[in-house]
Amino acid sequence: MNGIQSDLLNALPEIFVLVMAMFILILDLFLKSENRIAIFLLSQITLLGAAFITIFTYTGGVGYSFSGMFVDDPLANAVKLMIYLSTSIMMFYTRSYISLRGMFRGEFYSLILFAMLGMMIMVSGQHFLTLYMGLELLSLCLYSLVAMDRDNFHATEAAMKYFVLGALASGMLLYGMSMLYGATGSLNITDVANALQNNAQDHPVLILGLVFVVAGLAFKLGAVPFHMWVPDVYQGAPTAITLFIGSVTKLAAFVFVVRLLVQGLSVLVVDWQGMLIIMSVLSIALGNVTAIAQTNIKRMFAYSTISHIGYLLLGILSYSPTNPNGIAAAMFYVASYVLMTLAGFGMILLLSRKGFEAENIEDLKGLNQRSPWFAFMMLITMFSMAGVPPTLGFYAKFSVLQSALQAGFVWLVVYAVLMAVIGAFYYLRIVKVMYFDEPLDHHEIRNYPEMNMVLSANALGLLILGLMPQRLMDICAYVVVRSLQ
Amino acid sequence: MSVFPTLTLSIWVPIFSGILVLFTGDDKNAKAARWFALVGSIVSFLVTLPLYTGFNFSDGGFQFQEGFQWIPSFNINYHLGVDGIAVPLILLTSFTTVIVVIAGWEVIQKRVAQYMASFLIMSGLMIGVFSSLDAILYYVFWEAMLIPMFLVIGIWGGPNRVYATIKFFLYTLLGSLLMLVAFIYLYSQSHSFELIDFYQIRLPMNVQILIFLAFFMAFAVKVPMWPVHTWLPDAHVEAPTGGSVVLAAIALKLGGYSFLRFSMPIAPDASHYLSGFMITLSLIAVVYIALVALVQKDMKKLIAYSSISHMGFVTLGFFIFNPLGMEGAIVQMISHGFISSAMFLAVGVLYDRMHSRQIADYGGVVNSMPKFTAFAVLFAMSNAGLPGTSGFVGEFMVILGAIQANFWYAFLASTTLIFGAAYTLWMVKRVFYGDIANSHVAELVDVNHRELLILVLLSILVLGLGLYPQALTEMTHATVNQLLEHMTHSKLPASI
């Protein structure tokens, strides 16, 4: 097999998604609005096809393409599969919501697919520019998705805020990358890592570059003190888009952090570890405490995301070059987090109907009387987010705490645990309104049957994976070990 | 370990019958839900009986062991096994579940299937706690049990139920999470979550103390010991009768049991070192909380405080480290399971008729409910420690054990015989005797067959354990001796 073929083979899923996204964009021009369901189906087929390609081109090894700018390793493959799955779930959840709000258009699906392509490139980027390109592709799609309901004042405001702060963060990231380039003489992550190994580590500009890179990453993750955009964007964006921003993109952001900090700058682990500790401590505290005061459920989820990011960082910061366990724990955490968030927002979408946005915690009141089944699904989701066994969320917290304790951060672990109790309060409040209060709203809960099925499978999955989490843990541990050698 | 999976069945039969009950749907099928639940709970009880009949009384170790690898990457196993301390508690759990199902038969009219299912599932989870030999498995059951309890208090509870149930959940969660940190720390030492491996770890004193305190946070909240007891009166008062019964009869025992299972064998040196502290807290509970109980106006609150006071005896018995005290404490746990269930059920019987728990609303109940009063007085006497009832045996053994340790411990502990009698009998006097307080009391209807059945069953047990405690002590004897023997060996690292 000659060079260009293997180059393309490694990037085959990306190429496929790109072609399909453009095809959908064009096809939409020729479709009547009553046939638009075809776009939805085609998008789902695209995801399925991409998953097939990813699985069948999987070699188990690490392959580089395009002069080492692009990498095809088990970590990238596993995370891409998770991205397809969660995007697919997200599309199932949002169909009725967007069609009732006049957003069921071809652009929606092609923007989602382009955003997903951006994530796939981020996940496979082995070069500062590839990573940056993927990030920008993702971000630009998200800005337009947030603003898609263009007559909605809040959505437009959220899009502007997101765009300005996002651009600032991208700028910081790029600035940091340029300093790293100055210090090491390369933009390729492998070369940067090698250069740092070979005594370039005393360069003063290096630490400055690192600070900018970490700040940029923290912006994208939404970690305190760079979290300001999160609540506003979560609340302002249409719920369908909040679901996408809140769940799937965190997978890509996680790999982005791993590529930059762990693969590129692992020599500087002591330096970035300190920064991550501060961000983790602040995120956990601010996220959990502020979430208590929220009445808007989307905003509450925003703060809950911030606290989850804090726990995720706890896993990443327990990394040491000799022991990559923390990264596997963080990956497990992010995968669990995505599943929980999907189910949580899925429930909000389920309760919304034409002319009614389920946005406030009150809207969940008495759900147990309206629909015991979905109340139970939300119950599982909430206890999973709170980290109560026997749900998946418990093992997510358990594995990051275990890795942090192994790395010697005993007091950090105790702190994180105490904060988890505060966090449990606002999840319990959701359970409380669902089960203990009388319903305010007596509309029948109706949606497409496939959404009901996917949502039930999603929430029950949290319970079933909580009873047998071994397989997912194994996958995370395996890909991390294979990819970070 | 290919034996008949008695323990697995004991855990999962109630859980699956609970799920089955849930599928009967809404209140249109309430009757089906009740009968399913009754059959499920009786089958679950029968399934646990082989634990008693097949038990080897001379073996103090773990019996009926079974298991398989569950999460190999953390070396977590589904490992079950019971010893002489766990078996009586498991039987108590499965028996109490039957009682609770019968007690809620007519009283619960709203969302019956969910109510019955919660108790069945909770029963399975609590049996899981008593039979886990793997720390994470134990933890999963321990925490999962909170979810149905949270719902039971919150859905079917009294007016202030939301406050009470959230307080209950958060208090317990706080303690449990610290215990989880301790487990993870122990795992980092032994690379296994097996209890038997935890027992072998040698730890320096300061670490042992920290571990002990982390466990203490979890278990003391559950027991509950003074000063972390404040969730209990709230939870008891607001919970429906079934919820109070399960809380008092079983949930509190989880804490006591766990001291024996975790704190003492894992951190024996710290247990000895901190025994003064533990005994002090226990005696405060015994004396001070008994005085608090004396001034309660609400019957359920009074029994709740009496529970805390009686559980003080349990922790006192554990931490004086002699066989008499420890066995007495175990007898006390079981006996308190019967007596507190019976007391809460008796209050439930009155509450269902009068919708009031205030002592002041009653008076002269004996005139309209003579049969009921006879049983209520028996249970009250037993709560006060009348010889011949189960309440006497446990307290007497603990006091005898305490005398061996220190005269003043025994002296303070025995004041409970006075205070306990005072608050119980004073309540009995005000509620059951005296003049008929008002027209509602005069119109009270005596117990029906269903209520009579429960009261008869419980009174047989209370008297049975009081007259023939050997049935219990011969079971716990070997295990207690083995535990105390284990604790005489210091686990401090050998000095080099």
Side-chain angles (χ1 to χ4, degrees):
Chain A
M1 201 158 48
N2 61 36
I4 186 76
Q5 262 181 348
S6 88
D7 267 7
L8 293 180
L9 195 64
N10 284 339
L12 205 55
E14 281 80 0
I15 296 169
F16 176 72
V17 171
L18 175 65
V19 171
M20 289 301 283
M22 292 200 282
F23 176 68
I24 287 171
L25 197 57
I26 295 167
L27 180 73
D28 183 56
L29 296 176
F30 301 100
L31 274 184
K32 293 204 191 75
S33 58
E34 63 264 29
N35 296 333
R36 200 157 274 151
I37 182 82
I39 300 284
F40 170 76
L41 293 175
L42 207 58
S43 309
Q44 293 282 16
I45 291 170
T46 307
L47 296 175
L48 200 64
F52 270 114
I53 296 173
T54 308
I55 291 169
F56 284 113
T57 57
Y58 176 73
T59 55
V62 180
Y64 295 97
S65 292
F66 311 117
S67 332
M69 291 180 83
F70 185 92
V71 65
D72 180 33
D73 59 6
L75 175 66
N77 282 310
V79 173
K80 276 179 204 170
L81 286 173
M82 290 177 192
I83 289 177
Y84 306 144
L85 176 69
S86 36
T87 308
S88 163
I89 295 177
M90 174 263 170
M91 285 182 180
F92 276 119
Y93 288 174
T94 52
R95 185 156 77 93
S96 97
Y97 182 88
I98 60 171
S99 28
L100 292 173
R101 281 160 187 75
M103 289 191 285
F104 190 52
R105 294 195 296 259
E107 297 97 285
F108 180 84
Y109 289 99
S110 37
L111 279 173
I112 293 280
L113 287 179
F114 276 118
M116 196 184 85
L117 179 64
M119 288 191 265
M120 292 164 71
I121 294 170
M122 279 164 82
V123 165
S124 274
Q126 192 66 11
H127 190 275
F128 287 164
L129 290 183
T130 329
L131 285 169
Y132 185 73
M133 197 171 72
L135 178 65
E136 283 307 285
L137 179 57
L138 167 68
S139 305
L140 287 172
C141 293
L142 291 180
Y143 304 146
S144 15
L145 280 167
V146 171
M148 198 159 168
D149 191 6
R150 65 178 172 199
D151 298 329
N152 183 328
F153 172 75
H154 291 294
T156 318
E157 185 199 329
M160 274 312 287
K161 207 174 250 175
Y162 194 18
F163 175 69
V164 172
L165 289 176
L168 185 69
S170 301
M172 293 220 277
L173 195 62
L174 208 53
Y175 192 42
M177 284 174 175
S178 72
M179 287 188 209
L180 293 179
Y181 176 68
T184 60
S186 175
L187 285 170
N188 186 302
I189 286 180
T190 323
D191 295 344
V192 168
N194 288 337
L196 289 175
Q197 289 285 0
N198 307 324
N199 71 30
Q201 36 193 299
D202 302 328
H203 216 297
V205 81
L206 202 59
I207 300 299
L208 200 57
L210 177 71
V211 171
F212 274 100
V213 167
V214 170
L217 291 174
F219 249 115
K220 295 295 173 190
L221 280 172
V224 180
F226 305 100
H227 65 286
M228 306 297 184
W229 62 274
V230 180
D232 291 335
V233 172
Y234 268 51
Q235 188 181 8
T239 313
I241 310 302
T242 313
L243 165 65
F244 192 63
I245 297 176
S247 59
V248 192
T249 61
K250 302 296 183 227
L251 284 166
F254 161 72
V255 183
F256 196 71
V257 173
V258 171
R259 296 274 183 229
L260 278 174
L261 295 187
V262 177
Q263 283 192 308
L265 307 172
S266 72
V267 177
L268 304 177
V269 58
V270 181
D271 299 293
W272 56 256
Q273 201 169 47
M275 300 183 220
L276 293 197
I277 290 176
I278 294 171
M279 294 197 302
S280 167
V281 166
L282 293 177
S283 302
I284 293 176
L286 185 127
N288 278 331
V289 172
T290 321
I292 293 176
Q294 305 307 317
T295 53
N296 181 298
I297 192 166
K298 281 158 81 180
R299 231 180 148 76
M300 191 205 92
F301 274 139
Y303 285 106
S304 125
T305 301
I306 294 173
S307 77
H308 281 296
I309 292 296
Y311 286 101
L312 172 69
L313 291 175
L314 205 58
I316 297 176
L317 65 85
S318 9
Y319 167 82
S320 72
T322 49
N323 188 355
N325 260 350
I327 303 299
M331 182 174 169
F332 183 70
Y333 197 94
V334 79
S336 323
Y337 163 78
V338 168
L339 284 177
M340 297 187 283
T341 313
L342 282 170
F345 277 108
M347 198 60 66
I348 304 180
L349 289 170
L350 180 78
L351 295 179
S352 300
R353 54 179 182 270
K354 194 169 177 60
F356 175 77
E357 294 277 344
E359 278 202 324
N360 291 319
I361 293 178
E362 288 190 339
D363 297 330
L364 287 165
K365 271 193 176 175
L367 187 62
N368 184 35
Q369 289 174 41
R370 295 168 66 195
S371 164
W373 176 255
F374 284 112
F376 181 59
M377 296 297 118
M378 190 65 170
L379 172 94
I380 298 176
T381 311
M382 287 299 110
F383 279 116
S384 181
M385 283 196 176
V388 176
T391 56
L392 183 58
F394 165 67
Y395 296 96
K397 286 223 167 63
F398 171 75
S399 46
V400 292
L401 293 178
Q402 195 271 333
S403 64
L405 201 71
Q406 202 176 21
F409 298 107
V410 178
W411 293 110
L412 202 54
V413 168
V414 172
Y415 165 82
V417 151
L418 294 180
M419 282 294 164
V421 179
I422 297 178
F425 174 75
Y426 55 86
Y427 298 121
L428 282 184
R429 197 172 51 165
I430 301 277
V431 177
K432 176 229 149 198
V433 297
M434 288 194 306
Y435 278 86
F436 308 162
D437 290 353
E438 292 298 315
L440 294 175
D441 174 359
H442 291 281
H443 281 86
E444 195 187 344
I445 296 170
R446 251 196 320 191
N447 212 303
Y448 294 119
E450 80 269 9
M451 165 167 187
N452 295 349
M453 269 157 59
V454 174
L455 185 56
S456 307
N458 188 177
L460 283 179
L462 296 175
L463 186 62
I464 293 166
L465 281 172
L467 293 176
M468 31 191 131
Q470 182 59 42
R471 184 53 68 81
L472 188 58
M473 281 180 181
D474 279 346
I475 292 172
C476 294
Y478 173 81
V479 299
V480 165
V481 169
R482 292 298 290 266
S483 307
L484 293 186
Q485 273 161 353
Chain B
M1 287 191 270
S2 64
V3 287
F4 185 73
T6 318
L7 285 171
T8 295
L9 284 178
S10 308
I11 295 170
W12 294 101
V13 166
I15 293 181
F16 279 113
S17 11
I19 294 171
L20 208 65
V21 169
L22 272 186
F23 279 110
T24 58
D26 58 14
D27 287 343
K28 287 196 288 288
N29 301 324
K31 203 173 167 194
R34 292 189 183 112
W35 281 104
F36 269 39
L38 181 64
V39 172
S41 61
I42 290 176
V43 172
S44 313
F45 175 61
L46 294 179
V47 165
T48 55
L49 282 181
L51 293 177
Y52 186 81
T53 53
F55 194 80
N56 178 358
F57 289 84
S58 55
D59 180 3
F62 294 112
Q63 306 182 24
F64 297 100
Q65 290 197 41
E66 50 182 288
F68 55 83
Q69 281 204 325
W70 181 25
I71 307 176
S73 54
F74 287 109
N75 219 341
I76 297 171
N77 299 316
Y78 176 85
H79 187 182
L80 302 174
V82 285
D83 58 10
I85 302 171
V87 171
L89 291 165
I90 290 176
L91 292 171
L92 175 69
T93 308
S94 57
F95 172 75
T96 307
T97 309
V98 180
I99 296 282
V100 165
V101 168
I102 302 176
W105 200 260
E106 287 148 12
V107 181
I108 300 297
Q109 291 295 342
K110 190 178 70 166
R111 281 172 267 171
V112 179
Q114 289 184 3
Y115 179 86
M116 297 294 179
S118 300
F119 281 104
L120 283 168
I121 293 173
M122 204 158 25
S123 154
L125 296 173
M126 288 185 296
I127 294 178
V129 173
F130 290 129
S131 50
S132 298
L133 292 186
D134 181 284
I136 292 300
L137 184 67
Y138 164 89
Y139 185 80
V140 167
F141 282 126
W142 170 279
E143 287 276 275
M145 187 234 128
L146 294 180
I147 300 175
M149 200 55 178
F150 176 73
L151 295 177
V152 164
I153 301 177
I155 298 179
W156 295 278
N160 198 15
R161 59 187 197 270
V162 173
Y163 168 78
T165 195
I166 290 183
K167 188 173 179 182
F168 157 74
F169 195 99
L170 293 182
Y171 247 86
T172 325
L173 186 67
L174 173 69
S176 327
L177 281 167
L178 290 172
M179 166 172 79
L180 179 67
V181 175
F183 283 159
I184 300 178
Y185 179 83
L186 290 168
Y187 168 74
S188 71
Q189 304 296 308
S190 74
H191 304 288
S192 153
F193 279 108
E194 284 282 337
L195 247 71
I196 295 151
D197 295 330
F198 281 3
Y199 290 174
Q200 310 303 325
I201 309 171
R202 291 184 166 276
L203 296 165
M205 193 58 162
N206 55 344
V207 176
Q208 276 199 29
I209 288 177
L210 285 176
I211 299 248
F212 184 90
L213 290 178
F215 284 154
F216 172 77
M217 285 299 287
F219 306 148
V221 165
K222 206 79 163 194
V223 167
M225 296 179 73
W226 184 87
V228 286
H229 64 281
T230 61
W231 64 270
L232 185 88
D234 287 312
H236 267 318
V237 168
E238 298 304 329
T241 305
S244 301
V245 169
V246 170
L247 264 180
I250 315 163
L252 308 190
K253 310 304 178 295
L254 297 172
Y257 165 82
S258 303
F259 272 119
L260 297 181
R261 181 64 76 240
F262 290 91
S263 307
M264 294 187 168
I266 291 174
D269 303 285
S271 302
H272 283 293
Y273 180 74
L274 292 172
S275 63
F277 167 71
M278 296 298 291
I279 290 170
T280 309
L281 292 187
S282 308
L283 287 172
I284 291 176
V286 168
V287 179
Y288 166 72
I289 299 291
L291 290 171
V292 173
L294 203 55
V295 296
Q296 295 307 314
K297 296 186 169 64
D298 179 313
M299 288 190 273
K300 263 189 157 178
K301 239 184 181 145
L302 189 147
I303 304 169
Y305 280 111
S306 137
S307 281
I308 302 171
S309 172
H310 282 103
M311 289 306 285
F313 258 95
V314 173
T315 42
L316 173 68
F318 289 163
F319 283 89
I320 50 181
F321 302 114
N322 58 42
L324 202 56
M326 200 173 274
E327 281 182 46
I330 295 166
V331 174
Q332 173 80 344
M333 285 209 282
I334 301 292
S335 140
H336 177 256
F338 297 142
I339 299 171
S340 63
S341 311
M343 297 280 278
F344 277 117
L345 287 164
V347 175
V349 165
L350 287 176
Y351 182 80
D352 295 339
R353 288 165 172 73
M354 296 271 289
H355 299 282
S356 167
R357 294 182 304 256
Q358 300 300 318
I359 296 175
D361 290 345
Y362 293 90
V365 172
V366 67
N367 297 302
S368 42
M369 301 176 77
K371 278 189 274 182
F372 172 66
T373 304
F375 286 104
V377 171
L378 168 70
F379 297 132
M381 289 299 191
S382 179
N383 196 43
L386 183 78
T389 61
S390 64
F392 171 75
V393 183
E395 285 177 15
F396 192 63
M397 285 170 79
V398 173
I399 291 171
L400 282 183
I403 282 187
Q404 292 178 10
N406 181 322
F407 169 76
W408 290 105
Y409 295 163
F411 175 77
L412 285 170
S414 52
T415 56
T416 194
L417 295 172
I418 301 162
F419 295 135
Y423 61 73
T424 319
L425 297 181
W426 193 30
M427 177 180 81
V428 166
K429 189 246 153 205
R430 284 178 293 170
V431 172
F432 293 101
Y433 298 109
D435 298 330
I436 295 177
N438 51 43
S439 58
H440 298 296
V441 173
E443 289 158 11
L444 282 175
V445 184
D446 211 341
V447 283
N448 58 26
H449 292 306
R450 177 183 60 84
E451 289 160 341
L452 197 63
L453 173 69
I454 303 174
L455 296 173
V456 168
L457 280 177
L458 282 168
S459 49
I460 291 173
L461 287 166
V462 166
L463 289 173
L465 189 60
L467 296 172
Y468 188 65
Q470 284 91 326
L472 181 59
T473 49
E474 68 184 4
M475 190 157 209
T476 57
H477 197 68
T479 309
V480 166
N481 284 338
Q482 186 170 328
L483 175 63
L484 287 170
E485 209 274 328
H486 178 92
M487 288 197 56
T488 55
H489 302 290
S490 166
K491 298 241 301 258
L492 297 173
S495 50
I496 306 157

